[in-house]
Amino acid sequence: MLQIVRTVSDLRALIAERRKAGQRIAMVPTMGALHEGHLTLVDAGLAAADEVVVSLFVNPTQFAPGEDLDRYPRDEEGDRAKLETRGATILWAPVPTEMYPDGFATSVSVGGPSEGLETEHRPHFFGGVATVVTKLLLQALPDVAVFGEKDYQQLQVIRRLVTDLNIPVEVMGGPTIREADGLAMSSRNAYLSADERAAAPALREALKRAGRAVLEDSSPPQAEAAGAEHLAASGFHKVDYIAIRHADSLAAVTPHDIASGVPLRVLGAAHLGKTRLIDNLDPRSET
Amino acid sequence: MLQIVRTVSDLRALIAERRKAGQRIAMVPTMGALHEGHLTLVDAGLAAADEVVVSLFVNPTQFAPGEDLDRYPRDEEGDRAKLETRGATILWAPVPTEMYPDGFATSVSVGGPSEGLETEHRPHFFGGVATVVTKLLLQALPDVAVFGEKDYQQLQVIRRLVTDLNIPVEVMGGPTIREADGLAMSSRNAYLSADERAAAPALREALKRAGRAVLEDSSPPQAEAAGAEHLAASGFHKVDYIAIRHADSLAAVTPHDIASGVPLRVLGAAHLGKTRLIDNLDPRSET
């Protein structure tokens, strides 16, 4: 049975009750509009704990003016049904005033892995994410929290902040779930026209090409350029970045780093029409 | 018996053990060099809980270059003896690398009550304080944390951040403890020469004069100027501020606010030789 809570005090009371019964608690933070990618994170939570709290909050502070806050897909009824079927036990769906009451004045910011990539194109994004994720984790205090690898830079930023602030929660990454043609599932895929949808798998293909190129001796800039060229040729009209980075710190890597086997990640973000898509992969296991 | 712990994992294991035994936990964060002011906070913690964790960490990130980090008084042996006598049960004395490990990249910042006053003169101070206090509270997760009213703006900043980040800890203020002549106890009083020590009580007297003046119909700027004049006449060579503020938000107040009874606080900071002293009081109960 999925229980729905709307206030922090109700959430804490419910979790305290479950813990008293010996239950281990996982949390999956989401902005709703749930698809198979989110539901796989619920599976991962149920594998690591007895109960899963899913939070559903479209966080206004991580959208810049002019981004898609207003048209971001919302479907709480549909989300509830999916979560119930999948075995989540608590839906934490706060009203905005419960998250940001009058006089709210605190923010969490993370350097290190948040530098570059998304931050170059969405400068306010990780400030908003870091603050709301800190709040969500401290509201629920789960044993473990699961975040999708689809938002890979976000996952590394969250790992950093949880370590740095000593938040007593274990962070787990969950795998990216893909459509049959390789497109990473995302709530924003709903924005794509039929033609854009047909072109969208080129993002993953571009990441694979960049990954193969850098493992076959191209320099990182050459390999990144090869990936970007594939996107341009496939109908993407603007490439924010294709980047080959250290998988943990997201620092740039040299050919020497690559030859010595440091963990790598290829990350990309690009625009199809009005829609911005992101994806990433491990070039040693996925190309 | 006072137990000393040096790592977060030992701290958490010890607190978990005490909680399992049904104990309620209070925390008193300090930078050591303990005096009666700190020990009164330990008393307040023991009144509110069964056990008191005292943290002892001279936090480098809240000192600016050129401030007194290097000469800040340190006396762990003496502190241990005082805490043992007073009934504290856990001394949390981390090594700096346990607090700020390699790659540390996160900071917490608070607007609202941190604006002006101390921030005008020590612009990095509350950023350092907010980050380290968030860490200390999340390391120990006490039921209640006690902070001295002596650092009144800091107390309001901490109340704001605990509310805003949903840190599951109750914040309590503890009273300022004074020498017989009214000087607020402070680790920094140890820096004062005999002449400076004789002049130091003028800070409290200046706050009282400002408070009386504003309650007797002076405008806040007039009352603040009267306080500052008393300091200058008493041998203080630089007044950072004497300020009459709303006691919770620390916003400026108008004569109309004062007449309608909003809670007030008079705060001051000024220099005697190389030593900077701060103090504050409630003008309605202490003048």
Side-chain angles (χ1 to χ4, degrees), chain B residues 143-197:
Chain B
D143 298 284
V144 52
V146 192
F147 296 86
E149 287 185 349
K150 159 72 162 45
D151 296 291
Y152 190 84
Q153 188 179 11
Q154 170 177 286
L155 173 63
Q156 297 312 106
V157 168
I158 290 167
R159 286 188 192 284
R160 185 77 253 168
L161 91 88
V162 165
T163 299
D164 286 352
L165 296 185
N166 303 101
I167 297 177
V169 172
E170 181 192 341
V171 174
M172 276 177 51
T176 301
I177 303 302
R178 300 181 180 282
E179 306 288 354
D181 61 6
L183 175 64
M185 289 197 187
S186 163
S187 305
R188 291 188 169 101
N189 292 351
Y191 303 153
L192 298 170
S193 71
D195 283 356
E196 290 164 355
R197 175 64 190 79

Side-chain angles (χ1 to χ4, degrees), chain A residues 213-238:
Chain A
V214 87
L215 293 176
E216 283 161 8
D217 245 13
S218 299
S219 72
Q222 286 169 332
E224 291 163 354
E229 276 160 31
H230 180 71
L231 282 181
S234 305
F236 279 75
H237 74 277
K238 182 165 167 267

Side-chain angles (χ1 to χ4, degrees), chain B residues 8 33 182 202 211 224 241 244:
Chain B
V8 173
E224 292 162 355
Y241 58 84
I244 295 156

Side-chain angles (χ1 to χ4, degrees), chain A residues 206-207 210-211 242-245 264-268 279-283:
Chain A
L207 299 177
I242 298 284
I244 294 156
R245 296 295 176 96
L264 296 175
R265 202 85 191 177
V266 190
L267 304 98
D279 200 354
N280 69 90
L281 48 77
D282 174 350

Side-chain angles (χ1 to χ4, degrees), chain A residues 181-183 196-206 230 236 272 277:
Chain A
D181 60 6
L183 175 64
E196 290 163 356
R197 175 64 190 80
L203 176 54
R204 186 191 194 202
E205 180 56 30
H230 180 71
F236 279 75
L272 261 180
L277 299 177

Side-chain angles (χ1 to χ4, degrees), chain A residues 28-45 52 54-55 72 79 82-83 86 88 146 148 150-151 175-177 185-188:
Chain A
V28 178
T30 81
M31 299 208 299
L34 303 180
H35 52 64
E36 189 58 26
H38 301 102
L39 299 174
T40 301
L41 303 180
V42 173
D43 296 344
V52 174
V54 175
S55 66
Y72 196 85
D79 292 342
K82 288 173 192 164
L83 291 173
R86 205 63 166 237
V146 192
K150 159 71 163 45
D151 296 291
T176 301
I177 304 302
M185 288 195 187
S186 164
S187 306
R188 290 187 170 101

Side-chain angles (χ1 to χ4, degrees), chain A residues 8 12 102-112 134-135 138-139 141 160-161 164-168, chain B residues 8 12 102-112 134-135 138-139 141 160-161 164-168:
Chain A
V8 173
R12 287 182 171 159
D102 272 359
F104 185 90
T106 304
S107 65
V108 177
S109 63
V110 183
T134 299
K135 285 175 62 70
L138 295 178
Q139 287 162 352
L141 276 187
R160 185 78 252 167
L161 91 88
D164 286 353
L165 295 185
N166 303 100
I167 298 177
Chain B
V8 173
R12 286 182 172 159
D102 273 358
F104 185 91
T106 303
S107 64
V108 176
S109 63
V110 183
T134 300
K135 286 176 62 69
L138 295 178
Q139 287 162 352
L141 276 185
R160 185 77 253 168
L161 91 88
D164 286 352
L165 296 185
N166 303 101
I167 297 177

